[in-house]
């Protein structure tokens, strides 16, 4: 395989030592990366010598495996645990724990112990100048591991212990004796095919795992096994040609049979194995087929094929079988594990476990509390063990047997989901530190109400959705459910492939492929989403990649959440959790790493989903279509609760609820629903834990009803005469704007045709320009002044604003100078600013402006603005503007127009700074500044009424252009 772990181990010679996991005591609880064949997975072991000094136990117990240490085999039959090492140590801890050292437990303590022992082994080989390979080291430690590690002779099960307890000295001796053998560095890959076995990986399984009833209850099962030797990829072909090994096959149990000999070459060879589960009693059984080198059997096996068979104690899926099973007075002692395999009835969807504890008749320990650990496990295809199992540790009181047989037993009840027809392992263990002998009664009751679909999907475009319910036993039905999560999908806005980084420092340190190393590429994806309101539980997830750590095909995965101000709020990797966010815009950046750019480019459109926790949206259930449609003819709605007889089918309709206001079209609402509800007098929860998943697709939003329009506001007639005049005027103004730059064009060097005096283009444009301008002047002069005409509107400015002059209002320079204009107004003593009403058309101002010169217009505007300032702000800082308005000056022809009222202003007081405590002092200082004498200075220009426009020397640029144009 070209996977990175296999390349690191088998090509570059890296030894990968990892922990087996802490999910015991059930079988098949090992997790990645220990499930890989290239890793050395280590289990946690506790010796009798560790129990006194480290755990202060008052009784000496036999060497055992920790109760929580994960067990094998893997789903495809591999043993999983390679070796075991001490899983407890007193280690130094950080100072923030306020202690210098602490007792630590777990396989995360066992794997460093084993890794240190293997390091000593490599150090000794390096000191002697001997070569080694990952295959030779693995074979040495597995061959020499101690199978029975305690002095009492009680062996630990092989699924927990592996090949045995690590022995560094024995492994070094084995390497000294057999390290130079020709086949020591060859690894052997096994591929087993058990046809129809659902727990195996099909063709290519690394072992044999018969767990389901169709195989474990069979008399004989045939398995095809293929063995292929593997050499280093840089080994010469001559070594491959010379590889020829005679292998002796030795089954370890009589219920296994195979050929005694196998001639093995580099191309590999297969053999047939027959497994006879019919000879076995109920329970878990392990055996293996070991392949030894026939020329040197003392070297240990070249390979081993593990075989695990789980024979059921009760097959409730058989015809006429009951719906419950009980195991009474099961004996327990510290660290002891009892396994029971039960096949649930077909159609069962949940089970109730009942434990009753009592003291053993001849227990040497007084009655008290005892700690138990139980695990209920089913193996489902392509599902993590955590999604199909339940593991808990419970403390139960043990009654005193001296009280007699009538002493009440303590009871513990738990309910879990299950799948009918799939073998369920019930593993119960007394905690290894809980002293005393006890007895336990174990009972399992199975219930079920199966829907016709595993996941109910509600289409918001329909009024309801339908499904069928099926009961395998007499069951009370009362459906209920709700939607609690809103899921929104987002596509990436940007995808960027980052090339490998150049090496830094020593050669080969970096992402670039230096010295034959594989280059690593980064892929960056950027997403954005917005929240309309604050949300307590927000989860960011990538469905294609989440919940995959060592199983992921990518080297690394990291995402970060930023707000609108680029502040980092949260980051995560393969596993998701909830966070609290406020309303606003957010950005998520995802980084992935892989050595194949093509593999990364496939994710350029990968969606991200954001899950929002919302208030529950209740689901409505109906037994008929008429009831789901709220048909009045259907009568009153029948009660939801009803009783179903065994093997009965009934139809159920679920109405599509209204989506909450936060939902948008395209979102999905997620929740769950339960269909059965047993009476409260029964044992357990009375319904399936977690329910069944429900999804609702949010439809497009309904069209909002517009309020009826009032009769007084009739629509204006589009064919009115003034509409045509306005359209013609707009066309003339647009042509005027287009002809203006053509009038300034330089004439061409040569005439258009020799011997002809044709008019030049710029002259023709000028003639048309003057003609259009004359027409517009005539319209302006003849316009009648309405009674409510504002006095200071430039003549053509309203026309340009509404009918073709938007370029003057959206100028970039005009927008950038807004702050400068506002500061100039404050310096001139103006407490507010003037605004031109949008769409104001003043015919009187147009006529007056057309008959005025530029100097007259400037003086008129200054006088009007000064009068307005004096009227609205009598305590202005600089009252010189009002004095300038009253200054006598020579009358001109353009000033014969009637007096104009001051332009209305909007006074906006300056916002106060600081607290209200210092307000009087600030007022006194402001009054002193306004009243103190100042040297004379030129009168500042008053703000123009058209303040939103661009200014030049206190005037709107558009007004300057219009005045020059009209007076040309």
């Amino acid at each position: 395989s070209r996977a990175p772990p296999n390349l690191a181990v088998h090509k570059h010679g890296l030894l990968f030592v990892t922990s087996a996991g802490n999910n015991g005591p059930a079988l098949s609880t090992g997790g990645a990366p220990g499930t890989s064949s290239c890793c050395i997975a280590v289990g946690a072991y506790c010796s009798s010598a560790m129990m006194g000094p480290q755990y202060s136990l008052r009784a000496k117990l036999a060497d055992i495996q920790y109760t929580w240490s994960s067990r094998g085999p893997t789903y495809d039959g591999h043993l999983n645990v390679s070796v075991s090492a001490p899983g407890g140590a007193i280690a130094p801890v950080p100072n923030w724990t306020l202690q210098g050292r602490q007792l630590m437990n777990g396989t995360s303590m066992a794997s460093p112990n084993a890794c240190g022992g293997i390091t000593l082994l490599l150090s000794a080989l390096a000191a002697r100048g001997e070569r080694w390979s990952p295959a030779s080291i693995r074979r040495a430690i597995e061959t020499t591991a101690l199978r029975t590690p305690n002095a009492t002779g009680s062996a630990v099960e092989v699924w927990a212990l592996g090949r045995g307890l690590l022995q560094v000295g024995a492994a070094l001796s084995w390497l000294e004796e057999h390290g130079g053998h020709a086949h020591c560095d060859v690894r052997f890959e096994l591929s087993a095919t058990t046809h129809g076995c659902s727990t195996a990986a099909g063709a290519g399984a690394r072992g044999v795992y018969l767990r389901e009833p169709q195989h474990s209850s069979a008399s004989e099962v045939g398995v095809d096994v293929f063995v292929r030797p593997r050499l280093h990829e840089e080994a010469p072909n001559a070594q491959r040609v010379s590889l020829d090994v005679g292998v002796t096959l030795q089954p370890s149990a009589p219920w296994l049979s195979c050929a005694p000999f196998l001639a093995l070459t580099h191309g590999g060879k297969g053999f047939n194995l027959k497994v006879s589960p019919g000879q076995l009693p109920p329970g878990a059984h392990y055996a293996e087929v070991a392949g030894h080198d026939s020329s040197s059997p003392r070297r240990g096996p070249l390979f081993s094929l593990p075989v695990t068979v789980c024979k059921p104690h009760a097959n409730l899926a058989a015809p006429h079988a009951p719906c419950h099973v009980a195991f009474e007075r099961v004996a327990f002692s510290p660290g002891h594990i009892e396994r029971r395999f039960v096949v649930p009835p077909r159609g069962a969807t949940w089970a109730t476990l009942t434990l009753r504890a009592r003291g053993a008749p001849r227990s040497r320990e007084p009655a008290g509390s005892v700690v138990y650990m139980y695990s209920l496990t089913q193996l489902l295809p392509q599902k993590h063990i955590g999604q199909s199992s339940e593991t808990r540790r419970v403390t139960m009181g043990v009654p005193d047997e001296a009280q007699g047989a009538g002493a009440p037993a303590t009871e513990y009840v738990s309910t879990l989901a299950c799948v009918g027809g799939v073998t369920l392992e019930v593993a119960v263990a007394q905690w290894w530190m809980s002293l005393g002998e006890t007895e336990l009664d174990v009972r399992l009751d199975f219930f079920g109400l199966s829907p016709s679909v595993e996941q109910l999907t509600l289409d918001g475009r329909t009024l309801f959705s339908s499904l069928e319910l099926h009961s395998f036993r007499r069951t009370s039905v009362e459906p209920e459910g709700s939607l609690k999560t809103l899921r929104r999908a987002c596509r990436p806005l940007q995808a960027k492939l980052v090339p490998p980084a150049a090496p830094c420092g020593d050669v080969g340190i970096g992402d670039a492929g230096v010295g034959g190393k594989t280059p690593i590429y980064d892929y960056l994806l950027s997403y954005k989403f917005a929240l309309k309101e604050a949300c307590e539980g927000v989860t960011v997830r990538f469905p294609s990649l989440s919940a995959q750590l060592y199983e992921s095909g990518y080297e690394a995965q990291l995402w970060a959440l930023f707000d609108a101000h680029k502040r980092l709020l949260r980051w995560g990797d393969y596993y998701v959790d909830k966070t609290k966010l406020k309303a606003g815009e957010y950005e998520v950046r995802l980084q992935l790493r892989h050595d194949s750019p093509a593999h990364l480019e496939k994710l350029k459109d990968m969606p991200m989903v954001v899950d929002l926790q919302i208030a529950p949206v209740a689901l409505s259930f109906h037994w008929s279509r008429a009831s789901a449609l709220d048909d009045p003819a259907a009568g009153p709605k029948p009660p939801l609760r009803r009783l179903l007889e065994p093997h009965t089918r009934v139809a159920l309709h679920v109405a599509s609820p209204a989506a909450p206001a936060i939902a948008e079209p395209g979102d999905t609402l997620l929740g769950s629903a339960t269909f059965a509800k047993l009476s409260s007098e029964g044992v357990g929860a009375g319904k399936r834990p977690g329910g069944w998943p429900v999804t609702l697709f949010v439809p497009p939003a309904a069209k909002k009803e517009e309020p009826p329009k009032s009769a007084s506001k009739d629509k204006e007639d589009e064919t009115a005469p003034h509409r045509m005049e306005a359209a013609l005027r707009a066309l003339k103004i647009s042509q005027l704007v287009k002809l203006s730059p053509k009038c300034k064009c330089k004439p061409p060097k040569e005439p258009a045709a020799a011997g002809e005096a044709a008019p030049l283009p710029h002259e023709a444009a000028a003639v048309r320009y003057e003609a259009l301008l004359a027409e517009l002047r005539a319209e302006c002069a003849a316009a009648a002044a309405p009674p409510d005409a504002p006095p200071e509107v430039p003549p053509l400015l309203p026309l340009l604003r509404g009918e073709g002059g938007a370029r003057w209002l959206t100028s970039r320079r005009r927008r950038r100078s807004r702050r400068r204009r506002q500061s100039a107004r404050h310096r001139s003593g103006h407490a507010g600013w003037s605004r031109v009403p949008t769409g104001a058309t003043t015919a009187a101002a147009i006529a007056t402006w057309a008959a005025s010169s530029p100097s007259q217009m400037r003086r008129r505007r200054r006088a009007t603005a000064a009068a307005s300032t004096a009227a609205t702000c009598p305590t202005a800082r600089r009252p010189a503007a009002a004095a300038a308005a009253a200054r006598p000056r020579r009358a001109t022809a353009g000033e014969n127009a009637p007096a104009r009222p001051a332009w209305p202003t909007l006074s906006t007081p300056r916002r106060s700074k600081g607290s209200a405590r210092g307000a009087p002092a600030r007022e006194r200082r402001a009054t002193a500044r306004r009243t103190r004498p100042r040297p004379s200075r030129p009168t500042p220009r008053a703000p123009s009424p058209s303040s939103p426009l661009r200014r030049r020397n206190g005037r709107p640029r558009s007004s300057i252009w219009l005045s020059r144009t009209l007076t040309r």
Side-chain angles (χ1 to χ4, degrees):
S1 174
R2 304 297 297 178
N6 291 330
L7 289 177
V9 174
H10 302 319
K11 180 179 179 181
H12 301 288
L14 176 69
L15 281 173
F16 203 121
V17 183
T18 181
S19 58
N22 304 323
N23 300 319
L27 299 182
S28 304
T29 52
T35 54
S36 174
S37 299
C38 62
C39 299
I40 299 176
V42 184
Y45 149 84
C46 183
S47 66
S48 178
M50 296 168 55
M51 298 178 183
Q54 293 187 18
Y55 299 97
S56 303
L57 286 183
R58 56 183 173 81
K60 187 176 182 180
L61 304 177
D63 301 345
I64 59 175
Q65 202 82 356
Y66 286 94
T67 309
W68 36 257
S69 184
S70 292
R71 270 73 172 169
T74 60
Y75 280 29
D76 64 345
H78 184 56
L79 188 56
N80 192 7
V81 181
S82 300
V83 293
S84 289
I90 299 177
V93 293
N95 290 337
W96 57 263
T97 61
L98 302 182
Q99 53 186 347
R101 57 180 183 171
Q102 180 180 346
L103 176 63
M104 310 292 288
N105 306 304
T107 53
S108 294
M109 301 302 294
S111 59
N113 188 301
C115 189
I118 296 174
T119 303
L120 295 176
L121 187 62
L122 301 181
S123 178
L125 294 176
R128 300 177 183 181
E130 300 180 6
R131 55 178 299 274
W132 58 271
S133 66
S136 63
I137 297 297
R138 175 187 283 271
R139 189 172 302 168
I141 62 177
E142 290 184 355
T143 301
T144 60
L146 188 60
R147 298 293 182 102
T148 306
N150 56 57
T152 59
S154 61
V156 181
E157 56 185 7
V158 66
W159 301 294
L161 188 65
R163 299 298 177 184
L165 184 64
L166 177 64
Q167 304 293 310
V168 178
L172 180 60
S173 301
W174 188 93
L175 287 171
E176 292 175 352
E177 182 179 359
H178 307 292
H181 192 268
H183 308 315
C184 186
D185 296 333
V186 181
R187 57 186 176 90
F188 297 86
E189 291 184 355
L190 280 73
S191 175
T193 302
T194 305
H195 300 286
C197 185
S198 60
T199 58
R206 295 170 296 172
V208 180
Y209 195 8
L210 304 181
R211 180 183 174 108
E212 301 309 318
Q214 65 268 26
H215 291 95
S216 58
S217 300
S219 58
E220 293 181 356
V221 177
V223 181
D224 295 330
V225 184
F226 191 84
V227 184
R228 184 185 299 275
R230 294 291 188 183
L231 282 76
H232 195 277
E233 63 179 38
E234 297 179 357
N237 289 335
Q239 187 176 352
R240 294 180 172 85
V241 173
S242 61
L243 180 61
D244 192 352
V245 187
V247 179
T248 302
L249 301 177
Q250 297 179 359
S252 62
W255 45 274
L256 297 179
S257 61
C258 62
F261 187 79
L262 182 68
L264 196 59
T265 60
H266 180 261
K269 193 173 182 181
F271 64 94
N272 183 263
L273 173 67
K274 185 177 72 172
V275 184
S276 302
Q279 306 176 9
L280 301 175
H285 306 273
Y286 176 84
E288 61 184 17
V289 178
H292 296 265
D293 188 351
S294 58
S295 62
S296 180
R298 293 192 312 108
R299 297 188 189 129
L302 299 176
F303 59 85
S304 296
L305 177 69
V307 180
T308 302
V309 177
C310 299
K311 197 76 176 293
H313 293 78
N315 188 1
L316 304 184
H320 308 293
C323 299
H324 66 275
V325 62
F327 306 97
E328 298 181 353
R329 307 193 74 89
V330 182
F332 287 92
S333 60
H336 180 70
I337 303 174
E338 286 289 337
R339 307 183 190 276
R340 297 292 185 269
F341 296 91
V342 179
V343 182
R346 300 190 182 276
T349 56
W350 81 89
T352 299
L353 172 68
T354 305
L355 302 178
R356 292 185 178 91
R358 65 187 71 188
R362 291 176 295 276
S363 177
R364 293 172 294 179
E365 295 291 334
S369 60
V370 178
V371 180
Y372 294 96
M373 192 172 186
Y374 74 88
S375 181
L376 306 176
T377 307
Q378 285 184 308
L379 300 187
L380 302 178
Q382 298 296 322
K383 276 196 175 183
H384 187 267
I385 188 68
Q387 300 177 354
S388 58
S389 66
E390 177 182 297
T391 302
R392 291 184 182 176
R393 188 172 67 174
V394 296
T395 301
M396 302 179 64
V398 178
D400 192 356
E401 286 293 331
Q403 301 178 5
T410 57
E411 187 176 271
Y412 174 83
V413 179
S414 178
T415 304
L416 71 151
C418 67
V419 178
V422 179
T423 300
L424 173 67
E425 178 190 0
V426 184
V428 183
Q430 185 172 327
W431 191 250
W432 71 275
M433 292 180 61
S434 187
L435 301 179
E437 291 78 21
T438 60
E439 291 182 350
L440 205 63
D441 295 341
V442 182
R443 179 184 173 92
L444 275 174
D445 292 271
F446 293 93
F447 306 89
L449 192 64
S450 304
S452 56
V453 290
E454 291 286 337
Q455 180 170 354
L456 177 60
T457 301
L458 303 178
D459 192 346
R461 299 169 298 180
T462 60
L463 297 179
F464 62 88
S465 299
S466 304
L467 71 156
E468 288 185 358
L469 301 179
H470 173 259
S471 63
F472 83 98
R473 61 178 295 181
R474 188 183 179 93
T475 308
S476 298
V477 181
E478 187 175 356
E480 60 180 359
S482 61
L483 305 174
K484 300 180 180 180
T485 303
L486 185 144
R487 174 166 293 180
R488 181 168 298 164
C490 306
R491 290 285 187 181
L493 300 178
Q494 184 181 7
K496 181 180 180 182
L497 180 66
V498 180
C504 57
D506 298 335
V507 177
I509 301 178
D511 292 338
V514 178
K517 296 183 179 180
T518 304
I520 303 298
Y521 294 83
D522 288 311
Y523 202 62
L524 305 179
L525 296 170
S526 177
Y527 303 83
K528 287 188 177 181
F529 67 95
L531 297 180
K532 297 180 181 179
E533 56 186 36
C535 186
E536 293 290 338
V538 180
T539 305
V540 175
R541 67 176 73 240
F542 303 90
S544 304
L545 305 176
S546 296
Q548 296 184 22
L549 185 59
Y550 301 105
E551 303 94 331
S552 176
Y554 297 92
E555 178 193 351
Q557 172 183 333
L558 183 67
W559 60 266
L561 175 63
F562 301 88
D563 62 3
H565 303 288
K566 306 300 181 183
R567 291 180 297 188
L568 177 63
L569 302 180
R570 198 172 187 86
W571 61 271
D573 46 23
Y574 296 87
Y575 299 103
V576 298
D577 52 2
K578 296 180 180 180
T579 183
K580 181 179 179 181
L581 294 179
K582 300 179 180 179
E585 296 182 353
Y586 298 91
E587 180 181 2
V588 177
R589 301 174 189 172
L590 173 66
Q591 179 186 9
L592 299 170
R593 289 167 60 88
H594 201 270
D595 59 336
S596 173
H599 198 56
L600 293 171
E601 290 287 353
K602 294 180 180 179
L603 305 179
K604 64 179 180 179
D605 295 325
M606 181 185 66
M608 174 194 73
V609 296
V610 181
D611 292 346
L612 310 178
Q613 185 177 354
I614 59 175
V617 179
L619 297 177
S620 177
F621 298 89
H622 307 270
W623 294 115
S624 65
R625 293 174 177 266
S627 176
L629 294 173
D630 292 333
D631 189 357
K637 181 180 177 180
L640 277 179
R641 188 175 181 87
R642 63 168 55 182
L643 186 64
L644 293 186
E645 297 297 332
H647 308 291
T648 303
R649 291 185 177 272
V650 63
L652 181 66
H653 308 279
V654 186
S656 300
I662 192 177
E664 298 178 357
D667 295 345
T668 55
L669 300 181
L670 308 178
S672 60
T674 58
F675 304 110
K677 188 174 182 180
L678 305 184
S679 62
S680 58
E681 300 177 358
V683 178
K687 56 184 177 181
R688 189 176 194 262
W692 303 90
V694 181
T695 302
L696 169 66
F697 292 99
V698 179
K703 185 178 180 181
K704 297 183 179 180
E705 297 182 0
E706 298 182 357
K709 296 182 179 180
S710 177
S712 59
K713 299 182 179 179
D714 295 334
K715 187 176 180 180
E716 186 178 0
D717 188 6
E718 296 288 343
T719 62
H722 70 277
R723 302 288 298 193
M724 176 179 287
E725 296 176 2
L728 290 175
R729 187 184 307 113
L731 180 60
K732 292 177 182 180
I733 293 174
S734 63
Q735 290 295 321
L736 194 68
V737 175
K738 296 178 181 179
L739 289 173
S740 179
K742 294 185 179 180
C743 299
K744 303 176 182 180
C745 296
K746 296 182 180 180
K749 297 181 179 180
E750 298 181 359
E756 295 184 9
L760 298 177
H762 73 285
E763 296 178 354
V767 172
R768 295 175 57 191
Y769 183 87
E770 294 294 341
L772 283 176
L773 190 57
E775 294 181 11
L776 291 174
R777 282 180 176 176
E779 292 182 13
C780 293
D788 57 344
E792 288 295 324
V793 179
L796 294 181
L797 184 58
L799 301 179
L800 290 177
R801 167 177 291 176
E803 299 165 355
R807 66 179 63 189
W808 298 101
L809 303 178
T810 58
S811 170
R812 181 179 300 177
R813 297 176 61 188
R814 196 173 304 114
R815 291 195 301 269
R816 290 178 178 175
S817 63
R818 183 178 300 169
R819 187 181 297 274
R820 183 170 56 188
R821 294 197 304 272
Q822 294 177 359
S823 60
R825 296 189 194 99
H826 288 291
R827 287 196 301 269
S828 63
H830 201 302
W833 56 86
S834 303
R835 298 184 181 273
V836 178
T838 304
T841 57
T842 308
I846 293 175
T848 305
W849 204 288
S852 303
S853 64
S855 59
Q856 294 170 351
M857 289 188 291
R858 285 196 299 270
R859 286 193 295 272
R860 186 180 299 109
R861 187 164 47 254
R862 293 174 187 170
T864 305
S868 175
T869 303
T872 57
C873 189
T875 59
R877 179 176 176 181
R878 297 175 184 174
R887 186 182 303 150
R889 41 191 179 80
R890 185 177 57 184
T892 58
E895 294 179 345
N896 296 329
R900 303 185 180 188
W903 182 263
T905 59
L906 301 176
S907 179
T908 304
R910 184 175 298 178
R911 186 171 56 183
S912 175
K913 295 183 179 179
S915 62
R917 185 176 181 181
R922 288 196 297 272
E923 291 294 338
R924 290 195 298 270
R925 289 194 295 268
T927 305
R929 284 196 301 268
R930 289 195 297 268
T931 58
R932 64 186 177 187
R934 296 179 180 275
S936 60
R937 61 182 65 180
T939 302
R941 299 184 183 273
S944 172
S946 55
S947 58
L949 304 180
R950 169 70 177 168
R951 297 172 178 273
R952 194 176 79 178
N953 297 330
R955 296 183 58 199
R957 183 176 294 273
S958 58
S959 300
I960 299 173
W961 176 80
L962 285 171
S963 62
R964 291 179 179 176
T965 302
L966 294 174
T967 57
R968 179 177 295 177

